[in-house]
Amino acid sequence: MDSAYTKIFSGSTIMAGRIANELHAAGIEAVIKDEAESARLAGFASSMLGNADIYVNKDEVDRSRHIVEGIVKDSE
């Protein structure tokens, strides 16, 4: 099954939140996938603590990557 979404970031949940906020401000709908939080809410443990992935619609990948690169560069 082919997804309409593409992963554009994988890293800390804090950075993922910041990136998602910037993407939303630019009018881009971002989906955060946090395996540890999903497991916690389901009553399970996870070894992926502190990591999250961000997905965006394939049509917005180029704009999104530009924003992500700028945020990551600023945080270094």
Side-chain angles (χ1 to χ4, degrees), residues 16 31 37 44 70:
V31 177
E37 183 64 8
F44 300 101

Side-chain angles (χ1 to χ4, degrees), residues 14-39:
I14 294 170
M15 184 65 82
R18 179 178 174 204
I19 290 169
N21 286 337
E22 291 292 328
L23 291 172
H24 287 139
I28 299 170
E29 187 63 36
V31 177
I32 298 176
K33 183 176 178 183
D34 184 342
E35 295 283 342
E37 183 64 8
S38 295

